[in-house]
Amino acid sequence: MTEPIIKVKGLHKYFGPLHVIKGVDLDVMPAEVVVIIGPSGGGKSTFLRCLNYLEQPSAGTIEVDGAVIDAREPGRGQRHHIRELRKKAGMVFQQFNLFPHMTALGNIIEAPLTVKGMPKAQATAKGEELLSWVGLSDKRDEFPSRLSGGQQQRVAIARALAMEPKIMLFDEPTSALDPELIGEVVEVMERLANEGMTMVVVTHELHFARDVADRVILMADGAWAEQGPPGELFTNPKEERTRQFLAHIL
């Protein structure tokens, strides 16, 4: 039987006295697309940032493709494990976070060159292939200021893929985009899902959740309120909390 590629056990996160994530567990299978929805302030983005250790969890363990980190592990051992985990987990943010002084291609090849020590010719070939994959071959030498938001986000996806991650984490990847640009980013994410990438996506794009997710999780008040296949969760939610949330946005 296939093992989960992501295993989260007993994850807690406090910001001072504020208990933002309250002991959640999550197993994600290889090639599964899990979409997390829910009200603002419910802990969705914090959970995702803990998965990649951009936020230090207060308690719990996270395992990604065999790289295990315990939140209470001492610093030096933990730093090594965080590096291992980040090699396996690509992340795309709400704000595109591209380096403004680098071209589209430069942004994509930076990490393979500096982190992996890849030869420049190899990194460039890989970068050009990824630009083509996200439909931006003609923007190879453009700087981010010359790109639309949707184009910047597609470069950001290509940049994350350049590290050949086993999983991709998306933190509200379309929420900073004008409505007419959302489709071009969602289309790239759909292709990624169809090619078998394991994905955990925090989003307000319910049509993406409905069309692409294998499982949708409603997160509220720092915990899972309900989860299930999108067809079930959207049409026949079991929990009152889910019904209230969907009534507001559908």
Side-chain angles (χ1 to χ4, degrees), residues 58 95 183 200:
S58 305
Q95 302 299 341
V200 181

Side-chain angles (χ1 to χ4, degrees), residues 43-94:
K44 306 182 300 295
S45 288
T46 301
F47 172 76
L48 207 65
R49 292 172 70 84
C50 284
L51 259 188
N52 209 18
Y53 261 73
L54 292 169
E55 293 286 358
Q56 171 83 30
S58 305
T61 59
I62 293 170
E63 180 177 345
V64 174
D65 191 37
V68 186
I69 314 181
D70 189 316
R72 296 185 172 147
E73 184 181 11
R76 188 176 296 171
Q78 197 182 77
R79 278 196 297 275
H80 167 72
H81 289 134
I82 290 170
R83 271 199 305 277
E84 287 305 299
L85 183 143
R86 286 191 185 149
K87 283 181 190 169
K88 297 168 185 282
M91 186 144 182
V92 176
F93 301 88
Q94 183 175 346

Side-chain angles (χ1 to χ4, degrees), residues 133-219:
W133 192 83
V134 297
L136 291 173
S137 291
D138 59 329
K139 303 296 182 187
R140 175 188 192 275
D141 300 317
E142 296 285 5
F143 289 92
S145 61
R146 300 280 307 249
L147 301 175
S148 71
Q151 290 168 342
Q152 288 186 60
Q153 193 62 295
R154 285 187 280 157
V155 172
I157 293 171
R159 178 176 64 178
L161 292 173
M163 290 298 284
E164 300 179 325
K166 294 291 186 76
I167 68 168
M168 284 285 283
L169 309 175
F170 291 88
D171 186 10
E172 300 198 10
T174 59
S175 63
L177 298 177
D178 293 333
E180 70 271 17
L181 300 177
I182 289 171
E184 64 191 58
V185 173
V186 168
E187 186 191 337
V188 168
M189 292 169 67
E190 287 178 356
R191 278 171 45 217
L192 205 50
N194 291 337
E195 290 186 9
M197 176 61 78
T198 308
M199 294 162 64
V200 181
V201 183
V202 168
T203 187
H204 295 292
E205 289 298 314
L206 292 196
H207 65 88
F208 175 82
R210 193 181 274 123
D211 296 346
V212 183
D214 297 299
R215 181 169 26 140
V216 177
I217 301 176
L218 179 81
M219 188 175 202

